[in-house]
Amino acid sequence: MSARVGIEFVPIEGALVRLLGLIERRGFEVRGVRMAERPCGRSATLSVDVSPRDPGRRLDVLEQQLRRLHGVQDITMPTAKAPA
Amino acid sequence: MSPFGAAIAARILDEAEWRPEPVSGARLLVRALEREGVRHVFGYPGGAIMPVYDALPGSSLQHILVRHEQGAALAADAYGRVTGEPGVCLATSGPGATNLVTGIANAFMDSVPMVAITGQVASPLMGTDAFQEVDIFGITLPIVKHSFVVRRSADIPAVVAEAFALARGGRPGPVLIDLPKDMGVMVAGPAEPAARVELAPPVDGQALAQANALIAAARRPVLYVGGGVAIARAERSLRGFAERNGLPTVATLKGLGAIPTDHPLFLGMLGMHGSHAANIAVDECDLLICVGARFDDRATGKLDSFAPNARVIHLDRDPAEIGKLRRACVGVAGDIGAALDRLSARPDAVAWRERCGRNMRSTAPRYDAPGNGVYAPALLRDLSKAAGDRAIFTCDVGQHQMWVAQHCRFSRPQAHLTSAGLGTMGYGVPAGIGALLADPDATVITVTGDGSIMMNIQELATVRRYRLPLKILLLDNSQLGMVRQWQELFFAENFSEVDLSDNPDFAEVARAFGIEAFTIDHRDEVSGAIERLLRTEGPILCHVRIDSRENVWPLVPPNSSNVQMLERTW
Ligand SMILES: Cc1ncc(C[n+]2csc(CCOP(=O)(O)OP(=O)(O)O)c2C)c(N)n1
């Protein structure tokens, strides 16, 4: 079962790899990624479908870890999604 | 530059009609470092960083030429721990940058403020596999708080200001600035910086009220202290809180000294090599008040059986740590000192305090080891006593590191610099260098092992070059002792690749670097050796031969509960 995490962030250099890398390193599989082309100079929104690699991985912990990245402005946490 | 920075810069320009003289990017970098109050930069030159080295002479920065970039990063780490301000290290692209990586990771794991500056190949060459090109930005992504690649010379002041603000703000950590060579050479009229300050979230009053209620109701409370207290410089608040509420206190490796280790409420370090009294108190407590610690596995042992009967209050500057590994009944994120000052509930815990104190006295370490050889724990206890409160111990990694934690006394956390989270062999000597430059009046003592010292032995040349009065105590058991101990206990004495009996003569090696040195191997030489170490004005190395079979006790086996401590047999 995957969950959809919404991330609003300042699209500075490296931001995307930093975000996706953190999600993977903290024990979540990235199952899907969406990001619309952003209007110039605006913040960007990334939506990532994630699923924990083991039962010890918690979304609330991941949320806090994403929030502390420089340039992350907001996180929206999931509505659980049915398995693909 | 951040949009915020750009707006402020524009305002400054408008208001003052300031027309800065265009200068090279490298000079902008040096000026920006000066503006941050940087006095020492630890580094090693090379092709891509040459513009910066060209701009160094004539600046107010003292460059410390190390002999390996790892030494630069680790020295900067120690400098950051002692001063509370970011330590700065500088390296060229490619191998220079990759040699910094261990030191950057070390700072990341222990939340140490650091700014690492790497040269990079010129912008048009980036991504072409040019000579000495590595993607250091990519390599360090998981081990930095943030990182920048400079894309316009004019941004350098803003990038530097932002890097320093990030490195020192909130939960501190390392920040990387990768500077392509052309950015250092190019001439620019700088936009002036305006860095963001990371404000602590306001402490939640309701959470504090809940915490006070839990403390008031507790009968067996324990205060569990980590490195976050030192980072927040909240030692005074911590001590006041512990004393107001009469709380038996335990500390992690990094928390040692947050409350003086000879304080009557202090029970010792907890965890794998923790004291009996500390581990038992945590096991029996009904309330665990965790301050600036993170339930690291070396401290908790098997997490499921850690403080099994306790409710948890967790205070941390970093909200991401609260509840990460152990759920907290009450979490308080924000300024630790401010939160501690508002916690007071005076639990009825007299009987518990007495019980903890009795346990502490009856299980205190023994120093009457049999034989005539040097017993390292006794030596360290005596050295620490003789060195006094102005001493700073920097450690390497292994058995000797644990002995320092167990047997030296610390009245402030900055007196104990140890690689806790990463466990980096090779930390000790560079950390001694960083500590001495940060606090030249301190008596800085590096305790190292015969394995560890070889990891950065080249830094003895740095010690000598700058005539740093570093006192090095080398505990030589002719083994990779900690690994040998584990092989003895958990791998059926199958000793594999831990023998170092072909070590060089370390006293000779030190002398070859121009450092005074001597060797001892008998117990009756110890007091003379301590005297000589402390009396000598310049750098000195005391090489101590110790029994290769000596182990660190107590020891909690991996994946066990902290009460399953193995104890010494004599
Ligand atoms: C860079 C690095 N490599 C390997 C290790 C694994 N390790 C931990 S302790 C240790 C032995 C240390 O030997 P020594 O410095 O002689 O100290 P002793 O344990 O004998 O006191 C080793 C190899 C490490 N922590 N760091």
Side-chain angles (χ1 to χ4, degrees), chain B residues 2 6 11 30 58 105 234 283 327 363 382 410 412-413 444 473 481 488 512 538 562:
Chain B
S2 68
R11 204 182 66 215
V30 168
D283 187 65
R327 281 197 191 271
T363 59
D382 295 349
F410 304 107
R412 57 200 170 99
V444 179
L473 182 75
E488 176 190 327
N562 275 351

Side-chain angles (χ1 to χ4, degrees), chain B residues 426-510:
Chain B
Y427 181 68
V429 172
I433 293 170
L436 265 170
L437 287 158
D439 186 356
D441 296 330
T443 304
V444 179
I445 302 168
T446 291
V447 180
T448 183
D450 50 315
S452 292
I453 195 168
M454 294 289 260
M455 292 250 172
N456 274 317
I457 199 157
Q458 77 288 344
E459 297 313 328
L460 292 182
T462 313
V463 171
R464 163 71 187 167
R465 168 183 277 246
Y466 298 96
R467 301 193 189 284
L468 299 170
L470 184 63
K471 298 165 191 316
I472 302 170
L473 182 75
L474 167 54
L475 297 174
D476 175 4
N477 52 11
S478 299
Q479 302 279 325
L480 294 171
M482 187 57 97
V483 181
R484 190 206 59 78
Q485 176 170 354
W486 278 53
Q487 290 177 346
E488 176 190 327
L489 298 173
F490 311 122
F491 291 85
E493 300 192 5
N494 183 21
F495 297 117
S496 170
E497 301 298 328
V498 289
D499 177 73
L500 299 182
S501 53
D502 56 351
N503 272 324
D505 178 334
F506 286 110
E508 278 300 321
V509 171

Side-chain angles (χ1 to χ4, degrees), chain B residues 154-491:
Chain B
D155 289 347
I156 288 173
V159 166
V160 170
E162 199 153 7
F164 274 77
L166 283 165
R168 66 164 80 92
R171 177 180 184 167
V175 175
L176 176 93
I177 301 174
D178 198 27
L179 181 72
K181 191 168 185 179
D182 50 328
M183 294 296 117
V185 173
M186 224 175 257
V187 168
E192 281 297 286
R196 218 170 46 92
V197 179
E198 232 178 289
L199 295 174
V203 176
D204 176 354
Q206 208 178 342
L208 286 178
Q210 287 170 354
N212 272 327
L214 284 182
I215 297 170
R219 292 296 168 266
R220 297 188 308 281
V222 165
L223 179 56
Y224 154 40
V225 178
V229 172
I231 291 168
R233 296 292 201 252
E235 297 91 324
R236 192 182 295 221
S237 298
L238 180 89
R239 187 171 172 168
F241 170 65
E243 287 174 351
R244 262 193 324 276
N245 297 285
L247 300 170
T249 302
V250 303
T252 64
L253 184 60
K254 267 190 73 199
L256 289 173
I259 189 165
T261 51
D262 53 6
H263 193 285
L265 287 168
F266 188 64
L267 303 178
M269 183 168 76
L270 82 165
M272 182 171 273
H273 290 295
S275 75
H276 195 274
N279 282 338
I280 294 293
V282 171
D283 187 65
E284 293 181 353
C285 71
D286 63 358
L287 178 69
L288 189 69
I289 308 164
C290 170
V291 184
R294 56 185 175 89
F295 294 86
D296 168 71
D297 53 279
R298 283 291 185 272
T300 63
K302 193 163 181 243
L303 194 57
D304 297 346
S305 50
F306 181 67
N309 306 309
R311 294 173 159 210
V312 172
I313 299 172
H314 194 162
L315 277 67
D316 207 288
R317 175 64 180 81
D318 181 359
E321 285 303 338
I322 294 175
K324 183 181 82 177
L325 291 167
R326 168 85 180 240
R327 281 197 191 271
C329 292
V330 179
V332 183
D335 181 338
I336 286 178
L340 287 171
D341 290 342
R342 290 169 62 188
L343 285 178
S344 192
R346 298 172 211 280
D348 174 9
V350 181
W352 167 244
R353 240 181 349 263
E354 282 170 2
R355 182 175 150 77
C356 289
R358 267 197 311 277
N359 197 14
M360 171 83 178
R361 286 186 293 278
S362 66
T363 59
R366 286 174 51 187
Y367 295 99
D368 55 340
N372 297 320
V374 176
Y375 183 51
L379 163 59
L380 290 167
R381 178 201 54 178
D382 295 349
L383 173 62
S384 157
K385 209 188 276 176
D389 278 345
R390 287 298 295 137
I392 295 178
F393 280 82
T394 79
C395 295
D396 257 303
V397 172
Q399 293 179 309
H400 59 280
Q401 177 192 31
M402 293 299 114
W403 286 325
V404 168
Q406 293 173 327
H407 305 288
C408 293
R409 52 178 294 278
F410 304 107
S411 56
R412 57 200 170 99
Q414 295 77 22
H416 179 227
L417 307 187
T418 197
S419 170
L422 197 65
T424 307
M425 286 173 73
Y427 181 68
V429 172
I433 293 170
L436 265 170
L437 287 158
D439 186 356
D441 296 330
T443 304
V444 179
I445 302 168
T446 291
V447 180
T448 183
D450 50 315
S452 292
I453 195 168
M454 294 289 260
M455 292 250 172
N456 274 317
I457 199 157
Q458 77 288 344
E459 297 313 328
L460 292 182
T462 313
V463 171
R464 163 71 187 167
R465 168 183 277 246
Y466 298 96
R467 301 193 189 284
L468 299 170
L470 184 63
K471 298 165 191 316
I472 302 170
L473 182 75
L474 167 54
L475 297 174
D476 175 4
N477 52 11
S478 299
Q479 302 279 325
L480 294 171
M482 187 57 97
V483 181
R484 190 206 59 78
Q485 176 170 354
W486 278 53
Q487 290 177 346
E488 176 190 327
L489 298 173
F490 311 122
F491 291 85

Side-chain angles (χ1 to χ4, degrees), chain B residues 23-78:
Chain B
V23 291
S24 74
R27 203 158 292 281
L28 286 179
L29 177 80
V30 168
R31 283 188 191 168
L33 294 176
E34 288 174 325
R35 195 162 26 223
E36 291 297 330
V38 174
R39 292 175 47 221
H40 295 102
V41 173
F42 302 90
Y44 204 90
I49 198 73
M50 281 177 72
V52 176
Y53 276 82
D54 188 50
L56 277 177
S59 76
S60 65
L61 307 175
Q62 186 188 0
H63 180 269
I64 304 296
L65 180 69
V66 294
R67 298 304 173 94
H68 186 296
E69 291 85 351
Q70 185 182 118
L74 294 176
D77 167 303

